[in-house]
Amino acid sequence: ENELAFTITYGQNDGDVPSLVCNHSFQSASSTICTAKTVMDGNEIRGSFYIESSGPIPHDASPTVLEAAIEGIHGFGDVEVSRSDGDGQNGFIWLITFVDYRGDIDPLQASS
């Protein structure tokens, strides 16, 4: 028998893509068998995280929400926050500018 198998690999930022489905009208008309399976589910970021002693921060926090969380941590003062657009996995990058603090700042410790 002639048999064909296809493996489709999606990009890193495609998130959790819906599974492919077989065209059953074609399958019954041509006496072929079609099966589709997922080898590995995609990733999509959800939930919340903490920075230092903050309360929970949503994974998709707006700049205003993250700014308030960081300003609530003792010693940092006023900060300005901007955020990238979400990627295919619903992840973001925030840019934090410490307005009141002068000098080097140790990296903020984030946890989930």
Side-chain angles (χ1 to χ4, degrees):
E1 285 185 47
N2 292 333
E3 189 173 301
L4 293 175
F6 298 95
T7 301
I8 300 172
T9 304
Y10 293 98
Q12 181 178 352
N13 288 325
D14 290 334
D16 196 11
V17 178
S19 295
L20 297 175
V21 294
C22 296
N23 182 336
H24 292 291
S25 61
F26 173 78
Q27 182 175 330
S28 61
S30 63
S31 301
T32 61
I33 298 172
C34 176
T35 58
K37 69 178 182 175
T38 300
V39 176
M40 180 174 43
D41 288 331
N43 185 38
E44 189 170 302
I45 299 171
R46 297 184 184 129
S48 59
F49 64 98
Y50 300 83
I51 295 178
E52 305 285 339
S53 60
S54 75
I57 302 167
H59 77 280
D60 60 349
S62 69
T64 305
V65 168
L66 189 60
E67 186 173 313
I70 294 171
E71 287 176 350
I73 300 170
H74 180 70
F76 289 125
D78 186 31
V79 299
E80 295 175 354
V81 177
S82 62
R83 186 188 82 177
S84 70
D85 292 334
D87 64 20
Q89 297 180 11
N90 211 13
F92 299 89
I93 298 172
W94 292 270
L95 175 64
I96 304 164
T97 303
F98 294 85
V99 179
D100 290 341
Y101 198 91
R102 300 289 182 241
D104 293 336
I105 296 175
D106 288 334
L108 296 174
Q109 297 300 311
S111 62
S112 59

